[in-house]
Amino acid sequence: MSIHCICGIDPGISGAVAFYFPASPDHVTAEDLPIAAGAIDCATLAARIVQMAPDVAIVERVGAMPKQGIASTFKFGTSYGCLLGVLGALQIRTVLVTPQIWKRHFRLDSDKEKSRALALRTFAKTPEPFGRKRDDGRAEASLLALYGASIEGRQP
């Protein structure tokens, strides 16, 4: 089976979605997750995923963080469920990967600025999505998609 497009998703309200096409390895499309009324806009996200037609989605596997409040944990869990629900409804094969696993692959740690710097270097022909410090979610979604290419055997 040939992989045409890989979707990478960094979950959460400040997260992002990226679409990577292995046939054009130095290009990526990355954007913030669509938000409406303080929550992920599932319908808009679904429409965008349908438009890009990924073969597989690589989603960061996340859980509750220590010292995070109950309300924010619930909100984050709702967002994560929305992402997985959209992918399931669209019948997109989904691979969940912990941050420790995919970041180790790129020799990264928890410093999101390092992820952004790597995305800027890796996707130098399309640096626009990563130009601002706050674009770390876009960078991580893009790197998740690139990681997906490596585990799917589509990258050297």
Side-chain angles (χ1 to χ4, degrees):
M1 179 175 98
S2 176
I3 299 285
H4 168 69
C5 175
I6 301 170
C7 175
I9 300 178
D10 179 33
I13 296 297
S14 62
V17 60
F19 300 96
Y20 175 70
F21 297 84
S24 299
D26 50 358
H27 290 83
V28 69
T29 298
E31 55 208 49
D32 296 336
L33 288 170
I35 304 298
I40 292 177
D41 182 343
C42 298
T44 300
L45 176 63
R48 183 65 170 144
I49 291 172
V50 166
Q51 179 184 34
M52 300 303 280
D55 302 291
V56 62
I58 311 300
V59 179
E60 187 173 73
R61 174 176 280 184
V62 292
M65 295 185 297
K67 299 182 183 179
Q68 190 175 25
I70 294 170
S72 57
T73 298
F74 182 80
K75 190 173 187 177
F76 188 78
T78 301
S79 296
Y80 193 62
C82 165
L83 296 172
L84 297 180
V86 165
L87 294 168
L90 296 175
Q91 299 181 5
I92 306 289
R93 184 168 58 91
T94 302
V95 176
L96 302 176
V97 60
T98 64
Q100 295 82 3
I101 298 292
W102 76 262
K103 288 184 177 193
R104 186 179 317 128
H105 175 81
F106 293 111
R107 295 183 177 93
L108 294 169
D109 55 29
S110 60
D111 184 346
K112 292 183 177 289
E113 188 59 22
K114 289 179 184 175
S115 295
R116 193 173 74 85
L118 178 59
L120 279 165
R121 287 191 309 272
T122 303
F123 303 110
K125 291 189 178 179
T126 53
E128 302 83 19
F130 321 115
R132 303 167 300 174
K133 186 172 178 76
R134 67 179 227 183
D135 292 334
D136 58 87
R138 295 176 183 183
E140 294 204 340
S142 299
L143 294 173
L144 277 158
L146 184 60
Y147 172 78
S150 72
I151 65 172
E152 294 291 321
R154 301 295 175 227
Q155 287 296 111

